Amino acid sequence: QQQVKQSPQSLIVQKGGISIINCAYENTAFDYFPWYQQFPGKGPALLIAIRPDVSEKKEGRFTISFNKSAKQFSLHIMDSQPGDSATYFCAATHSGTYKYIFGTGTRLKVLA
Amino acid sequence: DAGVIQSPRHEVTEMGQEVTLRCKPISGHNSLFWYRQTMMRGLELLIYFNNNVPIDDSGMPEDRFSAKMPNASFSTLKIQPSEPRDSAVYFCASSTGLEQYFGPGTRLTVT
């Protein structure tokens, strides 16, 4: 019940296209869902996060869509650029613990 | 403001040796997390501290692993004795609440 399932494992998108990464969780106590971006040789960097009281959050080209009833959330990268090529991790936590459960990661490659 | 600082960035050691990884959290952050990242197991939380006190160490793989946080600005993760299967990238992260900020990591290779 603690798992966060992430898909796809890898994704190739043309420059200017939309990249979509999906995550699903089981624990209904989770109430904070961040996405992290990791470049090779670097630590994960917080990209965007959402709480379950909203269905969508947008920051620039990055949007999180959240479906509470389905226990799913997704990251959409609009107008994908080669510089977006990285590994993306979703995560979930309960605000009482601050203990993140990470998805397995999606390796995104954006072709120039 | 400086981010999370980790040292060393790379460590190569022989099996059986003691390894100490160091972390300086972001000033003012009261929670600190140690993670391990491998291809096989992804990002795993090893232990986390709140106000310098260990809250959850259920992710620490075995007694060979230990972590300390003697003050708000310093933490160590020690492996003694090290084994080849400990080879991984170890990250430290800090936070004041829900948002965690990661350091650059220490790549550990045990031969």
Side-chain angles (χ1 to χ4, degrees):
Chain A
Q1 201 181 24
Q2 285 290 89
Q3 278 188 320
V4 175
K5 296 181 180 179
Q6 183 172 346
S7 63
Q9 189 173 1
S10 62
L11 183 60
I12 299 175
V13 174
Q14 294 288 337
K15 179 182 176 182
I18 302 173
S19 303
I20 302 174
I21 304 170
N22 301 298
C23 285
Y25 64 98
E26 298 172 352
N27 188 343
T28 55
F30 289 151
D31 59 3
Y32 179 75
F33 304 88
W35 284 90
Y36 280 80
Q37 179 189 56
Q38 185 178 26
F39 292 105
K42 306 291 186 183
L46 180 63
L47 193 60
I48 187 173
I50 197 168
R51 292 272 210 169
D53 53 346
V54 297
S55 60
E56 186 175 283
K57 183 174 181 180
K58 185 176 181 179
E59 289 185 4
R61 295 185 294 109
F62 300 91
T63 299
I64 299 179
S65 296
F66 187 84
N67 186 328
K68 188 174 181 178
S69 61
K71 293 185 283 186
Q72 295 175 347
F73 59 109
S74 59
L75 176 69
H76 295 236
I77 305 174
M78 311 300 287
D79 187 26
S80 299
Q81 299 297 312
D84 298 330
S85 298
T87 300
Y88 293 81
F89 294 93
C90 63
T93 189
H94 173 237
S95 55
T97 69
Y98 304 124
K99 185 175 175 179
Y100 281 12
I101 305 299
F102 277 94
T104 50
T106 296
R107 184 171 291 185
L108 171 65
K109 182 166 186 173
V110 182
L111 302 176
Chain B
D1 190 18
V4 175
I5 298 172
Q6 291 187 245
S7 65
R9 293 295 313 278
H10 302 273
E11 177 80 41
V12 180
T13 191
E14 292 184 346
M15 181 174 63
Q17 296 298 306
E18 177 180 294
V19 176
T20 299
L21 311 181
R22 296 172 175 81
C23 175
K24 178 179 170 56
I26 294 171
S27 177
H29 283 195
N30 61 346
S31 293
L32 184 139
F33 306 80
W34 281 102
Y35 289 88
R36 179 171 66 178
Q37 186 175 42
T38 60
M39 288 294 293
M40 290 296 294
R41 300 175 67 90
L43 268 166
E44 302 175 275
L45 177 66
L46 300 178
I47 184 170
Y48 82 92
F49 296 83
N50 187 252
N51 294 324
N52 311 338
V53 176
I55 302 300
D56 186 339
D57 65 355
S58 59
M60 295 286 261
E62 351 182 338
D63 291 345
R64 299 185 296 106
F65 285 69
S66 63
K68 293 182 179 179
M69 192 164 187
N71 57 62
S73 59
F74 183 67
S75 177
T76 60
L77 177 68
K78 185 177 293 186
I79 308 172
Q80 166 63 21
S82 58
E83 296 183 2
R85 59 193 168 121
D86 302 330
S87 296
V89 181
Y90 291 81
F91 289 103
C92 174
S94 70
S95 76
T96 57
L98 288 168
E99 296 181 356
Q100 292 186 20
Y101 297 88
F102 283 73
T106 295
R107 180 173 294 276
L108 173 65
T109 303
V110 183
T111 60

